[in-house]
Amino acid sequence: MMEYIGATGIPITFDSVPISNDIDFHFILSFAIDADPSANPQNGKFSPYWEPSLTADSVVAIKAEHPNVKALASLSGWSLDNIVLRWRNPPNPNLWISNAFSSLQALATEYHLDGIDIDYENFPEGSSSFAFCIGELITLLKNQSVISVATIAPFYSTVSPYLELFKRYGEVIDFVNYQFYTDRVTSAAAYLKRFDIRTEQFGGGKVLPSYEVNGRGIQGDAFFEALSLLNKNGFDVNGVMIFSADASLSNGFHFERKAQEFLLNSTTA
């Protein structure tokens, strides 16, 4: 189970989210950004911009209560204070990698992080350094035992740079949090077709079906109909990604509860 948390400025805590102890539960803190508060790029020096209620102590506490919980930092996201964030080709890629490694190592130590999620969402033409910089960063973080989990979060207009990253460094990428809700499919049958396309591109069982609470794409029970249809058609549903806990706070985390119930039942079936 993957759950983005802390991206919208809504005060939220980890312990408000229902967690089954029988499922690996990954909280994805949103976001760590290599920019200053005015969105000026910092050449790989990442700082935390997630909701301040998600403290380092609270990460320790939720892990102590639920040993199946891991915490990841999602890198970049769409914007900072309504300023659109973009991948910028660094003049010196190796310096960017070095800065990113050092700053994320410090964040991982401070917040007891287990991994990172890559969520750059805007790319200029000729973003040739993205795959190299991110792939080498993940490899270095894993080789130095800073992280144990790495995920990527492409969507329909960013498939190309993420596909290059996956093809070159897929062995160090654990899951693909593809944002299916951006494809705006609204029926179970359409979701199945789109899932088939994306899993063929991004390596089968690494792709997780995703859902945006009160958002775009498939909504409500139709999402769980889509999950059942995936199972019936031979796809391994190895998890679910939800965006986000912030939005679910107002509905009692209905979709988190139901998604975990589905995963437990499909695992034991």
Side-chain angles (χ1 to χ4, degrees):
M1 181 79 179
M2 299 269 181
E3 174 94 91
Y4 286 83
I5 188 169
T8 62
I10 295 173
I12 189 169
T13 59
F14 297 113
D15 57 9
S16 62
V17 181
I19 299 169
S20 169
N21 287 328
D22 297 318
I23 290 177
D24 291 333
F25 198 111
H26 295 57
F27 280 111
I28 304 178
L29 292 141
S30 311
F31 293 92
I33 303 172
D34 55 335
D36 68 16
S38 299
N40 298 309
Q42 296 293 287
N43 197 29
K45 297 176 182 178
F46 286 88
S47 301
Y49 287 93
W50 49 77
E51 170 57 37
S53 60
L54 302 171
T55 64
D57 286 345
S58 69
V59 175
V60 173
I62 197 65
K63 284 184 167 186
E65 184 179 357
H66 298 283
N68 55 314
V69 163
K70 287 183 168 60
L72 287 66
S74 187
L75 307 190
S76 187
W78 181 266
S79 64
L80 177 60
D81 259 359
N82 296 318
I83 300 172
V84 173
L85 298 168
R86 303 181 187 281
W87 170 259
R88 297 176 183 270
N89 289 320
N92 184 339
N94 288 319
L95 178 59
W96 186 95
I97 293 166
S98 177
N99 289 340
F101 175 84
S102 297
S103 60
L104 291 172
Q105 183 180 44
L107 270 182
T109 299
E110 180 181 359
Y111 282 91
H112 308 274
L113 301 177
D114 302 283
I116 58 171
D117 171 70
I118 309 302
D119 191 29
Y120 282 90
E121 300 196 357
N122 295 283
F123 296 87
E125 288 187 18
S127 298
S128 56
S129 62
F130 175 72
F132 173 75
C133 287
I134 297 299
E136 291 298 315
L137 172 62
I138 294 172
T139 301
L140 186 59
L141 288 167
K142 283 197 165 186
N143 285 347
Q144 296 298 317
S145 299
V146 177
I147 64 170
S148 58
V149 182
T151 63
I152 60 175
F155 63 99
Y156 73 94
S157 68
T158 63
V159 165
S160 181
Y162 279 96
L163 198 53
E164 181 185 359
L165 169 62
F166 189 83
K167 286 180 176 178
R168 292 174 61 181
Y169 294 93
E171 71 278 1
V172 295
I173 295 169
D174 297 285
F175 297 102
V176 179
N177 287 320
Y178 185 85
Q179 301 176 50
F180 284 98
Y181 38 85
T182 65
D183 288 353
R184 299 182 185 274
V185 297
T186 57
S187 69
Y191 201 103
L192 171 66
K193 290 180 181 179
R194 198 54 54 96
F195 194 85
D196 187 20
I197 292 170
R198 300 311 183 193
T199 53
E200 185 174 347
Q201 291 176 313
F202 285 101
K206 291 191 175 185
V207 180
L208 302 185
S210 61
Y211 183 79
E212 184 177 37
V213 179
N214 300 329
R216 298 156 290 179
I218 200 165
Q219 289 290 297
D221 286 340
F223 175 63
F224 298 99
E225 293 171 10
L227 294 183
S228 296
L229 196 58
L230 292 176
N231 269 348
K232 290 176 183 177
N233 282 270
F235 289 100
D236 292 326
V237 180
N238 294 322
V240 170
M241 179 270 270
I242 292 182
F243 187 89
S244 65
D246 309 38
S248 287
L249 188 60
S250 62
N251 65 26
F253 300 98
H254 169 75
F255 295 102
E256 287 79 359
R257 296 178 195 278
K258 197 162 183 177
Q260 289 176 88
E261 180 183 342
F262 174 87
L263 291 171
L264 284 171
N265 290 338
S266 63
T267 298
T268 58

